[in-house]
Amino acid sequence: MPFWHPNYPSSLRSIPDAPLLLYAKGDVKLLGKNSYLSIVGTRKCSNLALASVKKVLPPLLNEEFVIVSGMAEGIDSFAHELTEELGGKTIAILGFGFQYCYPKANKRLMETLAHKHLLLSEYAPHIPPRKWHFPERNRIISGLSFGTLVVEAKERSGTLITVDQALEQGREVFAIPGSILDDFSGGCNKMIQDGAKLVQNAYDIVEEWEVQKRK
């Protein structure tokens, strides 16, 4: 899908460094939706973080949000898996071409997403994963969505790259707070301190989406 293709997501066209070409595998009709939310977080997530996703996600799916994430370990994969389990729709933004799978443990998940949901990548199918691809693809995760929800992150975390991208793109940033005794909550708590919207339930996000639609 080149930039000018009718299926190219309109939300991505508005970001300054939009990919000129996207590769899609799966249900491309998902690119015609208008309510996307990114969910990101730490790879080594806690049980409390997983429980938070379980609380927040179902009402969002009832509102027909399409969940966007990066198919990484931890929160990303869990968001995709739970969305599938609950009958919602999800899009995975990959940092590699479709001939590869990273992490390899996600091979079955990737097959499910390709069959029933959607995989997107700016990398041709033969391009393997490279460490710099993942920060690059984060701008697509945030740019496709009206907002990004951070579930759990340390103060120095790769997740915060996505947050920085979202802020540069003028997107909303949401964060689930955590204990001040937990290093993995430090990033979210600092984001809230800096102005991210604190999320206690799904309606904190839905409310912001309703405001955005009225603008």
Side-chain angles (χ1 to χ4, degrees), residues 185-205:
S185 297
C188 288
N189 293 344
K190 182 67 165 60
M191 286 164 46
I192 293 165
Q193 213 173 32
D194 291 343
K197 182 161 184 176
L198 186 154
V199 171
Q200 298 185 86
N201 57 58
Y203 301 103
D204 293 326
I205 297 170

Side-chain angles (χ1 to χ4, degrees), residues 137-198:
R137 66 91 199 264
N138 289 350
R139 78 191 193 286
I140 303 176
I141 294 175
S142 57
L144 183 59
S145 308
F146 102 95
T148 294
L149 170 64
V150 183
V151 178
E152 191 173 59
K154 289 185 172 182
E155 271 200 64
R156 295 179 181 273
S157 165
T159 299
L160 302 186
I161 296 172
T162 309
V163 171
D164 289 342
Q165 296 279 7
L167 292 171
E168 288 176 14
Q169 295 161 348
R171 304 300 196 252
E172 297 297 323
V173 175
F174 305 94
I176 294 177
S179 168
I180 62 171
L181 303 176
D182 184 358
D183 287 345
F184 283 93
S185 297
C188 288
N189 293 344
K190 182 67 165 60
M191 286 164 46
I192 293 165
Q193 213 173 32
D194 291 343
K197 182 161 184 176
L198 186 154

